[in-house]
Amino acid sequence: MTATPSAMEARPTWKLDTALFKTPPHQELRRAAAEHGIESESLRLERTVEEARVGDTVSALVTLIEPRETRQWLVELALAEIVRDRSAEARAPLVLHSMTGREIVFDTGEARVATRTLGPLSMAAAQETFGSSVRIEGGTAVVNHEFLALGFDGACRAMSKLKRARLEGRLGEEEKFAFGVRPFGDDARAVGRAIAERAGLTAEDERAFAATFPALTTYVDLVSRTKGLSDILQVVVERPSWWAIVRRFGRMEWSVRFESGSVEVLEPVRVGLPPGISAHQLPFTLLVNERPVLECMLLVVPAHPPLLTSAGIVGLVARRPGNDERRLVVRVLSARRGDAAPAVVDTTGG
């Protein structure tokens, strides 16, 4: 099977339920976290643009809400090392294309992230059996730290320009901006340039919009390769039927539709963040073969250390399209800087 990614805008379909970000970890999970040295209640977001340090750590509460059961996990992601390899094969950049015809190039980089997962803890079972052991799993994931560092903050500002242009009548509701892995045709580029001009999009805005693709895919890849969490996304993602795949001769074409009409600046205290932090809500829909399979609402802040490993995502709610029976909620509980200088492993041999 092959995958052809792309991204564009879409109309808003749902709203953020801020109450979901106020659910605390169960006391048994907090007890287990303390036992294993995992912070669960000390969110410190530093305004820094310094390099990432070894030991930069993010811990998050993962809650899976299902009709008959609610389960929780605590996840810790700690930056272990950054690999510096200047060979052409290791550093082949990602090239995307904007609807205006602009080619956008993203550098790549490799980092190792140490992961620890506590859980799952069934909330119902925990109420009946106190002092029960909570399983812990550890591992290491190799990720593209350059992509994670792109974050989503700039994209939210760019999408806010598109939203404002529609509210002010400079853009129609059906005029959507997009980017993809292949160049757009002449007609699409003409439309894209007109949209960019009327919305006041700059080259920086286009780059920030395109950056959502590598940042999001790398974040999801890290979550999927974190032990104990790899199967959770499958619970809330609606899988395409085999017939839908067969009809396309085995191809799985996936795309992301960002809902610029629902991008909003959030008051940090509403969602449990420290005051003074720039926070946005960013909703999107994942489609496979043009069929929606996942709706997700991101809560994002600038992806500065120590939030590099989360791409600046401090919260998310995911569900099957239009279905609130099963929801996945992720909330960052702790983010702290490492004590060591950046540990770089140079594999260039020079």
Side-chain angles (χ1 to χ4, degrees):
M1 296 181 186
T2 60
T4 305
S6 64
M8 64 175 296
E9 299 178 88
R11 291 179 176 177
T13 57
W14 62 318
K15 294 183 179 296
L16 178 68
D17 181 1
T18 57
L20 292 172
F21 293 116
K22 297 177 181 177
T23 301
H26 190 276
Q27 61 183 10
E28 286 297 292
L29 207 54
R30 289 200 301 268
R31 179 195 58 77
E35 180 181 330
H36 293 284
I38 298 177
E39 290 193 10
S40 60
E41 296 181 69
S42 58
L43 186 57
R44 300 190 295 272
L45 303 183
E46 300 182 22
R47 298 181 184 87
T48 177
V49 291
E50 296 177 2
E51 289 187 1
R53 301 173 184 166
V54 165
D56 282 358
T57 303
V58 172
S59 62
L61 174 66
V62 179
T63 304
L64 181 60
I65 303 169
E66 298 184 272
R68 295 184 179 180
E69 185 181 32
T70 296
R71 288 175 288 169
Q72 288 188 336
W73 294 255
L74 267 180
V75 181
E76 181 186 73
L77 306 173
L79 186 62
E81 65 181 20
I82 296 174
V83 179
R84 182 170 293 158
D85 187 340
R86 290 182 288 272
S87 65
E89 295 80 5
R91 285 292 178 266
L94 170 68
V95 180
L96 298 177
H97 299 270
S98 168
M99 198 174 174
T100 63
R102 194 184 305 277
E103 183 180 272
I104 304 171
V105 180
F106 297 102
D107 291 332
T108 62
E110 184 178 287
R112 290 184 175 86
V113 177
T115 67
R116 290 197 292 173
T117 305
L118 281 172
L121 180 78
S122 170
M123 301 291 280
Q127 297 292 344
E128 299 173 2
T129 309
F130 289 96
S132 58
S133 61
V134 178
R135 186 177 63 193
I136 183 168
E137 294 186 82
T140 302
V142 177
V143 298
N144 192 318
H145 69 94
E146 297 283 0
F147 289 176
L148 290 172
L150 295 169
F152 303 89
D153 191 57
C156 289
R157 290 192 295 272
M159 292 182 203
S160 294
K161 289 185 177 181
L162 293 164
K163 176 181 178 179
R164 186 163 54 251
R166 293 192 181 93
L167 291 174
E168 294 174 356
R170 288 180 281 125
L171 282 182
E173 286 295 329
E174 300 305 319
E175 294 181 287
K176 307 298 182 184
F177 198 75
F179 67 88
V181 294
R182 293 188 292 265
F184 289 82
D186 292 342
D187 291 345
R189 288 199 297 270
V191 171
R193 292 187 187 111
I195 291 174
E197 181 178 356
R198 281 181 277 146
L201 294 182
T202 65
E204 183 181 359
D205 292 328
E206 289 184 52
R207 181 177 178 82
F209 194 173
T212 57
F213 166 64
L216 182 61
T217 54
T218 305
Y219 174 77
V220 172
D221 180 56
L222 175 57
V223 171
S224 67
R225 290 191 289 122
T226 299
K227 289 187 176 181
L229 298 183
S230 56
D231 297 329
I232 295 179
L233 280 177
Q234 298 182 24
V235 176
V236 292
V237 174
E238 187 171 307
R239 299 180 184 179
S241 68
W242 282 108
W243 173 239
I245 298 173
V246 169
R247 279 191 307 169
R248 292 177 176 264
F249 304 100
R251 292 180 62 87
M252 287 187 65
E253 298 181 352
W254 60 273
S255 58
V256 178
R257 291 182 180 171
F258 290 97
E259 301 172 7
S260 60
S262 291
V263 171
E264 291 184 10
V265 176
L266 294 177
E267 287 293 329
V269 292
R270 282 184 57 206
V271 287
L273 295 175
I277 296 294
S278 172
H280 292 83
Q281 70 172 35
L282 174 60
F284 70 86
T285 301
L286 175 66
L287 299 93
V288 174
N289 294 343
E290 300 181 0
R291 176 185 175 185
V293 297
L294 180 73
E295 291 179 335
C296 190
M297 183 74 77
L298 299 180
L299 173 59
V300 301
V301 300
H304 298 158
L307 288 171
L308 182 143
T309 52
S310 73
I313 297 172
V314 292
L316 73 80
V317 181
R319 68 176 187 179
R320 292 186 178 183
N323 186 345
D324 275 333
E325 284 192 348
R326 289 179 175 84
R327 287 175 292 173
L328 176 65
V329 183
V330 178
R331 177 166 67 96
V332 168
L333 301 177
S334 171
R336 55 185 172 84
R337 290 287 265 154
D339 296 327
V344 177
V345 178
D346 196 326
T347 63
T348 61

